[in-house]
Amino acid sequence: RCAAPDRDVYQEVTKKLFGEQKVSTHPVPEYMEGGEIPRYCLNKAGLNSVKKILLCLGKYFPDMNFCPILPALVSLILHFSEDEAECFYSISRLISYKDPNKRYIDQTFLTYRASCMTFGDLANKYCRGIRKLIASSDQNLFEFYSDWIMWIFADLPFTYAIRVLDVYLLEGYKVLYRVALALLSLYKVSVSSRVADVEDFRRDMKSFVQNVARHCTAEKLLEKAFMIQMATRRELNLLFNANMDSLMQKGVHIQQKRWVSRKDAVQMVDFSTFSSSVVTRTEMRVVWAWIPERFALFSPIRLFSTTEHNRSLDSFYSHVEGHEPTVLILKTVDEEVCGAFLSTDVIERRKHDSEGLTYFGTGESFVFTLRPSMERYQQTMVNIMTRRLSPQQVRVSSRVSNGDKSPIASTTVSTLTCPAGTPQDPSYLTIPFTAPSEEPLCAKDAVLTWCFSCVFPVLSGGDGGHALCLHADLEGGSTEPCDTFKSIPLCRGQFKIQSLEVWGSVFLSDSQQLYIF
């Protein structure tokens, strides 16, 4: 779409909507979701002008069905416009901007929610503590992160919002992620000492942002925002598209204007009937808060359990293969609980010809502990994999030996090259590699070891310790510090397994077709 620069366009639209009226009596546009128009120092006449512009935008862009930030943008830009027509044109340019990697305004409920999920993924990387805090309190993370952009374009004080707007017009949507992450980091410091007194994190965050001047100047806020080592716009766009695909699988469509029911908005995943021999309901909420947003949309389903199925690697594979991603959780005889998030199907191990150890994985894989303490270990880099990439570019990190008598070679990093046809800068791709060392280790028993590798630059689990190693009979295993995740041993170095479970993510579509990830 293109925005006509002719000032007469605005005059024509206003004449159709308001006639000769100078004060609008119309209800606010539906795409505002009933939101208020921020005052931002505007007088009564200024607020009336904002409302007229918003109504005209709704008329001029009829397919824009959900855009709660628009009132704030119009209110801010009106300060720097000669008149209503110029403000209307400026906003129209932002709405019409076509570069997907530098987009400006979400205009549908689908894209707005995908942006919320993308922010949740970024918060999972850069503000880890706050995520666990909210999930442990049984409050809804999805609802909390749904406000993220409103922290900037509704709650920030006027002088702060103006500074953010200035950079946003130059840099695009990515700046909003930066500023919101900076606000979340500041909030984490503030709330840590008073968490027991917080009844509603969503309301508490809103109050914090409104009073952010007590904690940080506008200049310091932007400095903090730009110190974050963010993913590239291309990576963010890949993640955004993956999240949008998951929402569409969940049943959200491009014409949808809001959640169908309040229940859908408040409780995306129902843990009320959750049961496990390994973890409590609260612990599973924390784990589900750690996994990427597009998978956390759907309820967990148990794929394998040592209490229900045979304790063997064959049984494990028969129930887990074909599902991605999966969460492996185990409890030792000492009541320690730890596990790993596998972002890709374990069947990937069959796609390599090497007789030695094969490593494959994505930057979304991680390992964790739940007891005696809760902690997640994952590289802080953001490397986004989506279903649109080729199978060779999407790998889960794992290592498998081929039998009792096969030597198990440790893996080191040698020369790393990109697969044919991929860019020479593989910062957003997973590069599979196998490079056996000169001194193989021998093992008496066949073992399955998850050595989750990050994407380029590669940090080998084999070269820096195995985060988690399970015996083929699933009776025991071992763990050690792993350079890949900067993790410490997840439990006692050598352990006996009391119970082990693998969970996937499942939902039913409108046609009752079963999807398992």
Side-chain angles (χ1 to χ4, degrees):
R1 297 171 305 191
C2 60
D6 192 344
R7 298 171 62 87
D8 293 339
V9 170
Y10 180 70
Q11 303 303 332
E12 292 173 3
V13 178
T14 54
K15 189 173 182 179
K16 290 179 182 178
L17 284 176
F18 314 118
E20 299 301 325
Q21 293 180 343
K22 294 184 178 180
V23 178
S24 170
T25 58
H26 294 66
V28 296
E30 190 175 357
Y31 63 76
M32 286 175 53
E33 188 68 0
E36 297 182 356
I37 298 175
R39 179 168 291 277
Y40 285 147
C41 306
L42 296 171
N43 58 23
K44 187 175 181 180
L47 291 174
N48 181 67
S49 293
V50 171
K51 184 178 178 182
K52 288 173 63 179
I53 295 169
L54 290 170
L55 287 164
C56 289
L57 289 168
K59 183 72 173 180
Y60 193 62
F61 298 101
D63 55 344
M64 181 172 61
N65 61 38
F66 194 89
C67 191
I69 73 167
L70 211 53
L73 283 179
V74 173
S75 298
L76 290 170
I77 291 179
L78 186 61
H79 280 275
F80 305 95
S81 303
E82 181 180 336
D83 53 22
E84 294 175 9
E86 184 180 16
C87 182
F88 173 84
Y89 172 59
S90 299
I91 296 293
S92 296
R93 290 290 302 275
L94 293 177
I95 294 174
S96 303
Y97 196 79
K98 296 180 180 180
D99 184 352
N101 291 324
K102 194 186 175 184
R103 60 197 177 87
Y104 279 95
I105 299 177
D106 291 318
Q107 301 162 49
T108 67
F109 182 80
L110 175 62
T111 56
Y112 179 81
R113 280 295 175 176
S115 294
C116 292
M117 292 170 61
T118 302
F119 176 75
D121 284 322
L122 296 175
N124 204 2
K125 292 280 186 181
Y126 300 111
C127 304
R128 298 179 181 181
I130 190 68
R131 197 173 179 93
K132 180 175 69 176
L133 198 67
I134 297 173
S136 300
S137 69
D138 287 340
Q139 296 186 34
N140 190 273
L141 264 171
F142 197 80
E143 190 175 53
F144 178 80
Y145 288 135
S146 69
D147 291 336
W148 78 275
I149 203 167
M150 304 310 291
W151 301 340
I152 301 169
F153 288 128
D155 301 332
L156 267 183
F158 175 67
T159 53
Y160 286 70
I162 284 293
R163 293 296 306 277
V164 175
L165 175 70
D166 185 43
V167 189
Y168 162 72
L169 293 176
L170 180 67
E171 298 281 349
Y173 211 89
K174 185 177 177 179
V175 166
L176 304 184
Y177 288 136
R178 286 187 177 278
V179 174
L181 287 171
L183 288 169
L184 192 60
S185 297
L186 290 170
Y187 176 67
K188 175 187 171 184
V189 175
S190 168
V191 78
S192 296
S193 60
R194 53 184 181 84
V195 63
D197 300 324
V198 178
E199 296 181 358
D200 188 331
F201 282 98
R202 191 178 184 185
R203 189 182 301 116
D204 193 63
M205 180 66 184
K206 181 181 180 70
S207 175
F208 174 84
V209 176
Q210 290 173 337
N211 297 281
V212 70
R214 300 176 183 175
H215 308 274
C216 187
T217 64
E219 187 71 24
K220 290 296 183 181
L221 178 64
L222 288 175
E223 286 181 8
K224 187 175 183 66
F226 278 90
M227 287 176 64
I228 299 172
Q229 299 296 316
M230 283 280 284
T232 65
R233 287 191 179 93
R234 182 177 182 181
E235 289 170 335
L236 291 174
N237 196 45
L238 284 171
L239 179 56
F240 171 81
N241 288 333
N243 286 331
M244 192 161 59
D245 288 344
S246 292
L247 282 168
M248 293 173 70
Q249 290 174 327
K250 183 75 174 179
V252 180
H253 52 81
I254 195 70
Q255 289 83 22
Q256 187 168 326
K257 299 180 180 180
R258 59 183 62 84
W259 288 117
V260 176
S261 68
R262 180 65 180 165
K263 180 181 179 181
D264 292 330
V266 174
Q267 189 65 55
M268 296 302 300
V269 177
D270 184 9
F271 286 94
S272 60
T273 59
F274 175 82
S275 64
S276 167
S277 62
V278 178
V279 292
T280 66
R281 188 180 306 170
T282 298
E283 288 170 335
M284 194 60 173
R285 283 179 60 90
V286 172
V287 173
W288 226 240
W290 280 335
I291 70 176
E293 293 281 327
R294 62 188 183 276
F295 306 127
L297 273 176
F298 311 109
S299 300
I301 181 172
R302 186 164 46 231
L303 303 174
F304 174 81
S305 171
T306 52
T307 61
E308 299 177 13
H309 307 107
N310 293 333
R311 271 198 188 232
S312 69
L313 206 54
D314 289 339
S315 178
F316 173 91
Y317 282 141
S318 67
H319 289 89
V320 175
E321 282 183 358
H323 305 293
E324 66 174 73
T326 52
V327 177
L328 180 147
I329 312 176
L330 65 87
K331 179 166 64 175
T332 70
V333 294
D334 297 314
E335 296 296 319
E336 296 173 300
V337 177
C338 62
F341 172 69
L342 291 76
S343 58
T344 305
D345 193 343
V346 295
I347 202 171
E348 291 290 329
R349 75 191 191 283
R350 298 183 179 181
K351 297 183 179 181
H352 300 275
D353 297 329
S354 172
E355 294 182 357
L357 300 183
T358 299
Y359 289 78
F360 49 97
T362 76
E364 290 184 316
S365 299
F366 61 85
V367 294
F368 59 87
T369 62
L370 294 176
R371 289 182 229 160
S373 61
M374 291 184 178
E375 189 61 56
R376 178 181 57 133
Y377 300 97
Q378 181 182 32
Q379 286 292 338
T380 56
M381 64 176 63
V382 177
N383 296 281
I384 304 307
M385 297 296 107
T386 74
R387 295 178 181 275
R388 297 178 181 177
L389 299 180
S390 66
Q392 287 73 24
Q393 296 168 346
V394 182
R395 298 281 187 252
V396 172
S397 156
S398 78
R399 161 188 121 182
V400 182
S401 70
N402 296 319
D404 293 350
K405 299 180 180 180
S406 299
I408 300 179
S410 64
T411 300
T412 57
V413 180
S414 58
T415 304
L416 192 65
T417 58
C418 300
T422 61
Q424 287 305 301
D425 177 12
S427 60
Y428 65 96
L429 298 177
T430 296
I431 311 301
F433 68 97
T434 54
S437 67
E438 296 179 355
E439 299 180 0
L441 301 173
C442 293
K444 296 180 180 179
D445 301 313
V447 296
L448 170 65
T449 305
W450 282 271
C451 304
F452 304 90
S453 76
C454 290
V455 294
F456 187 89
V458 175
L459 295 176
S460 165
D463 192 36
H466 299 309
L468 188 60
C469 176
L470 305 180
H471 296 162
D473 57 9
L474 301 184
E475 293 288 346
S478 63
T479 176
E480 56 189 349
C482 180
D483 289 345
T484 300
F485 299 108
K486 306 300 181 187
S487 62
I488 62 175
L490 304 180
C491 55
R492 297 188 182 184
Q494 302 289 331
F495 56 84
K496 295 289 185 181
I497 298 174
Q498 180 183 150
S499 184
L500 181 148
E501 295 176 346
V502 180
W503 292 82
S505 184
V506 62
F507 77 97
L508 289 173
S509 70
D510 292 338
S511 62
Q512 298 299 300
Q513 181 179 1
L514 186 65
Y515 294 85
I516 296 183
F517 294 88

